[in-house]
Amino acid sequence: MKRFQLLHPSFAWSTRLLMLWALLAGTTGLQAQRILTLDSCLHMALSNNKQLGAAKIKQEMSKNLRKSARTKYLPHVNMVGGYLFSSKEVSILSDQQKQHFSNLGSNMQHYMNSMGGSIGGLEAILNAEGAGIVDGFHTNTRHIFAGSVMATMPLYMGGSITAMNKMADLGEEMAANSTEAVRQNTLYDTEQAYWMVVSLRNKQRLAESYLALIKKLNGDVQKMIAEGVATRSEGLSVEVKQNEAEMTLLQVNDGLTLAKMMLCQLCGIPVNENIELEDEKSDKTTNTTLTLTTDLNSTAENTWHTMRPELRMLQNTIDMGHQTTRMAKAGYLPKVMLTGSYSMTNPNVYNGFQREFAGIWNIGVLVCVPVFNWGDVTYKVRASKNATAMAQMELDEAREKVDLQVSQSTFKVSEAEKKLALAKTSCKRAEENLRCANIGFREGVMQSTTVMEAQTAWLQAHSQKIDAEIELILSRTNLKKAKGILQ
C-alpha cells in the first residue's frame, strides 16, 4: 500500500477527501433530521401557538383590571392648577363709591360751607384718606393663579364597588378558563396531526410491503409465461395490480409529506424541516401508548361539568350577570363620599387681595340621594336579569350537549377497542390465507388471480388494523377532551 501511495500520491489524498466528505455528509444528515416524541410536539405546540399566546395576554390584562378595581376602595388624590387673565378686575366698590371716598374731604368741606362752617386743612387729609380707602379695596384680580389638592374616599356607594370587584375577579377567572380551552384545543389538534403522521407512516410501510409482494408475483408470472405455463392475460393483470400499488404508494408518500408539514406548522418549526416521530419506528402504535393512557373511567360521573373550561366560562358569565344586577340596583341607593382639599390662590383673597399665595384646607362629606330618574334603574335591572336568564339557559343546554358528547366518546372508545380486536384477528387470517395461496401457486394448484386476491385481502386487513389502532388512540383523546382532562 505504501508503494502504491508513493507511485500515486493523489490517490491517498483523494481517498482521505472522500472519507472526510462522507463523514461530514453523514453528520449533516443526522443533524438535519429531528426525532420528535409526542410530548415534545405537545410542548412545542403550546410554546408556539399564537392563539394561546393571545389568550395569556388577555389573562394578564384581566389581572391588571382586577388590580385596578381594588383601587376603588382607596382614597384618590387629584391636583389641579391654573392661571386666569381677565380684561377687568373684580371691584368691591362701585364707581360712585370710589368717587365719594376719593373726594371725602371736598364733600365734607362743601357740607360745612353750606352749614356756615369750615374744616380748614382737614380737606386734603380727608381726600387722601378716602383715596387710600379706595386703593385698599383694589383687588388686582386680572391675573389669578389658583391651585388645589383634593382627596376623595368612598364611604358607601350602594354596593357598586363590591360588585365591580367581584366582576373583575370573575373576568380574571374567565380569562384563565379561556386560556385553558385554547390550550386543550391546541393539544387536541397536535395529537390529531401527530397520530395522522404515524398512521400514514405505517401505511407507507404497508404499501411498500404490498408492492414488494406484487413485484415478486409479477416476476414469478413472467417466468411462467416464458415457460408457457401462464398466459399473457395473467401477466397483464399482475402488471395492472403493480401499477395500482405504485400509485397507492405515491399517494401515501404525498399524504405523509403534507401531514408532516401540518405537524411542523403546529409545532412552530419550519414546514420543510426533515422530522421523524418516535412512534414511526414501530408497527405497533398502540402497545406503548395505551399503557400510559389515564384510566378514563376513574373520572366521577358528571364531574366534567366543573372540569370543562367552556362550561366554567358560561358559569362565569352567569355570575357576572348577577353582579351586573347588583351594580344596577345601586342606582336606587344613596352614595356617601368623604372629601378633603387644600386650595391656594394668588392674589390672597383672605388678606386684602395681596399679591401672594395663600391657602385654606377643608374637609366634608358629600351625600347623593337619587330621587327620580324616570325608571332608568328599573329598566337596567330588568335587562340585566334577562341577560342572566339567557346565560343560564345556554349553560343548561351546553351541559346537556357535554353529557351527550361524553356518552358518545365513551361508546366510540368501546367500539374502537372491539374494532382493533377484530382487525388483529383479520390480519392473522389474511396472513394465513396469503401463505396458503402462495404455496398453492408454487405447487401449481392455484392461479395468480387467487394470489392477488389474497394479497389484496392482506393489504386491507393490515390497513384496517392501522386505522383501528389510530382510531382507538384518537377516541381516547376525544374522551379526555370531552371530560376536560386533556393534559
Side-chain angles (χ1 to χ4, degrees):
M1 183 66 183
K2 292 182 179 179
R3 183 171 176 269
F4 187 82
Q5 290 178 353
L6 291 175
L7 294 175
H8 301 281
S10 61
F11 175 79
W13 283 105
S14 300
T15 303
R16 293 173 183 175
L17 288 174
L18 288 173
M19 292 176 64
L20 179 60
W21 177 83
L23 179 62
L24 291 175
T27 304
T28 304
L30 292 175
Q31 292 177 349
Q33 190 173 43
R34 182 187 295 188
I35 306 298
L36 300 177
T37 63
L38 177 59
D39 291 338
S40 63
C41 288
L42 295 178
H43 177 73
M44 287 188 294
L46 292 177
S47 301
N48 296 279
N49 187 269
K50 302 297 188 299
Q51 293 183 355
L52 186 60
K56 290 181 178 179
I57 294 175
K58 185 178 180 180
Q59 187 175 355
E60 183 66 21
M61 180 181 68
S62 300
K63 180 180 179 181
N64 291 324
L65 291 176
R66 189 256 302 165
K67 292 181 178 180
S68 173
R70 293 290 189 273
T71 63
K72 304 303 180 183
Y73 289 115
L74 305 175
H76 286 64
V77 180
N78 297 313
M79 181 180 293
V80 180
Y83 164 77
L84 179 64
F85 172 79
S86 301
S87 60
K88 293 183 179 181
E89 66 179 23
V90 176
S91 179
I92 299 177
L93 300 177
S94 65
D95 293 340
Q96 184 179 1
Q97 290 173 331
K98 291 178 182 178
Q99 184 179 6
H100 176 75
F101 279 112
S102 299
N103 299 316
L104 182 61
S106 300
N107 293 335
M108 183 64 71
Q109 180 63 47
H110 178 71
Y111 175 74
M112 293 301 295
N113 289 336
S114 63
M115 297 296 295
S118 174
I119 60 175
L122 292 177
E123 180 181 356
I125 296 174
L126 292 175
N127 287 337
E129 289 296 330
I133 293 174
V134 173
D135 187 63
F137 279 100
H138 178 61
T139 60
N140 193 17
T141 53
R142 295 185 63 190
H143 301 274
I144 300 176
F145 298 87
S148 176
V149 178
M150 176 176 289
T152 58
M153 181 174 181
L155 298 180
Y156 178 74
M157 303 299 290
S160 60
I161 296 181
T162 302
M164 182 189 305
N165 277 270
K166 290 183 178 179
M167 290 181 65
D169 294 338
L170 291 170
E172 185 177 7
E173 184 178 346
M174 182 180 291
N177 291 330
S178 177
T179 302
E180 176 63 18
V182 175
R183 189 189 72 84
Q184 291 201 14
N185 288 333
T186 302
L187 294 176
Y188 179 77
D189 293 339
T190 305
E191 283 201 32
Q192 292 273 344
Y194 181 91
W195 291 114
M196 177 62 69
V197 173
V198 174
S199 174
L200 290 173
R201 181 67 181 93
N202 289 329
K203 288 191 175 182
Q204 183 187 49
R205 284 196 291 263
L206 180 62
E208 292 172 350
S209 300
Y210 178 69
L211 180 59
L213 291 175
I214 292 294
K215 286 184 177 180
K216 182 177 181 306
L217 178 62
N218 189 24
D220 294 339
V221 171
Q222 294 300 325
K223 292 178 182 178
M224 295 175 65
I225 293 175
E227 294 175 359
V229 295
T231 63
R232 179 60 180 164
S233 176
E234 290 181 283
L236 292 175
S237 298
V238 176
E239 290 178 357
V240 170
K241 281 290 184 181
Q242 180 175 338
N243 292 336
E244 292 178 355
E246 291 174 351
M247 181 62 68
T248 300
L249 179 59
L250 178 62
Q251 293 175 348
V252 172
N253 291 336
D254 293 341
L256 179 61
T257 301
L258 294 176
K260 286 189 175 183
M261 292 175 65
M262 179 180 294
L263 181 61
C264 289
Q265 190 273 330
L266 290 173
C267 295
I269 59 180
V271 294
N272 57 351
E273 184 169 343
N274 185 18
I275 64 172
E276 181 180 357
L277 305 184
E278 185 68 26
D279 291 284
E280 289 185 41
K281 301 178 181 179
S282 174
D283 294 333
K284 300 178 181 180
T285 59
T286 59
N287 289 353
T288 59
T289 304
L290 296 183
T291 56
L292 302 177
T293 304
T294 305
D295 185 10
L296 299 175
N297 296 326
S298 62
T299 305
E301 188 176 0
N302 292 335
T303 55
W304 49 82
H305 288 171
T306 59
M307 302 182 71
R308 282 288 294 263
E310 297 88 350
L311 297 183
R312 294 201 301 265
M313 290 173 63
L314 289 174
Q315 184 62 53
N316 293 149
T317 303
I318 295 174
D319 295 337
M320 291 186 71
H322 292 314
Q323 299 305 320
T324 303
T325 303
R326 289 189 60 187
M327 288 189 64
K329 287 182 177 180
Y332 290 123
L333 303 175
K335 298 174 178 59
V336 183
M337 297 184 66
L338 178 66
T339 63
S341 66
Y342 181 82
S343 303
M344 298 180 64
T345 61
N346 187 345
N348 182 2
V349 297
Y350 308 107
N351 191 17
F353 293 94
Q354 296 185 12
R355 297 306 303 180
E356 62 182 8
F357 281 98
I360 185 174
W361 63 271
N362 57 73
I363 187 171
V365 177
L366 178 63
V367 180
C368 177
V369 180
V371 178
F372 182 71
N373 53 27
W374 299 98
D376 176 58
V377 177
T378 302
Y379 299 142
K380 289 181 179 178
V381 171
R382 291 177 182 175
S384 178
K385 289 182 177 180
N386 292 336
T388 304
M390 291 173 57
Q392 183 64 54
M393 294 179 65
E394 291 178 0
L395 176 59
D396 294 339
E397 183 181 7
R399 284 176 175 173
E400 294 175 357
K401 290 182 178 180
V402 168
D403 290 340
L404 177 61
Q405 185 179 10
V406 171
S407 299
Q408 291 176 340
S409 299
T410 304
F411 176 79
K412 290 291 184 182
V413 171
S414 177
E415 184 182 19
E417 291 174 348
K418 295 177 182 178
K419 284 184 177 180
L420 180 58
L422 292 175
K424 289 180 179 179
T425 303
S426 298
C427 284
K428 293 180 181 179
R429 293 175 179 175
E431 290 174 357
E432 179 64 18
N433 183 35
L434 180 60
R435 187 184 69 82
C436 295
N438 287 330
I439 294 175
F441 181 73
R442 288 195 299 268
E443 297 294 333
V445 296
M446 289 187 181
Q447 296 181 352
S448 60
T449 55
T450 305
V451 177
M452 286 189 295
E453 290 175 357
Q455 290 175 344
T456 302
W458 176 87
L459 175 65
Q460 292 177 349
H462 281 78
S463 178
Q464 291 174 357
K465 177 176 175 291
I466 294 173
D467 292 338
E469 290 174 339
I470 299 302
E471 183 180 353
L472 179 56
I473 295 175
L474 295 181
S475 64
R476 294 197 170 200
T477 301
N478 292 335
L479 182 55
K480 288 191 290 184
K481 184 176 184 296
K483 291 188 174 184
I485 58 175
L486 187 60
Q487 300 295 330

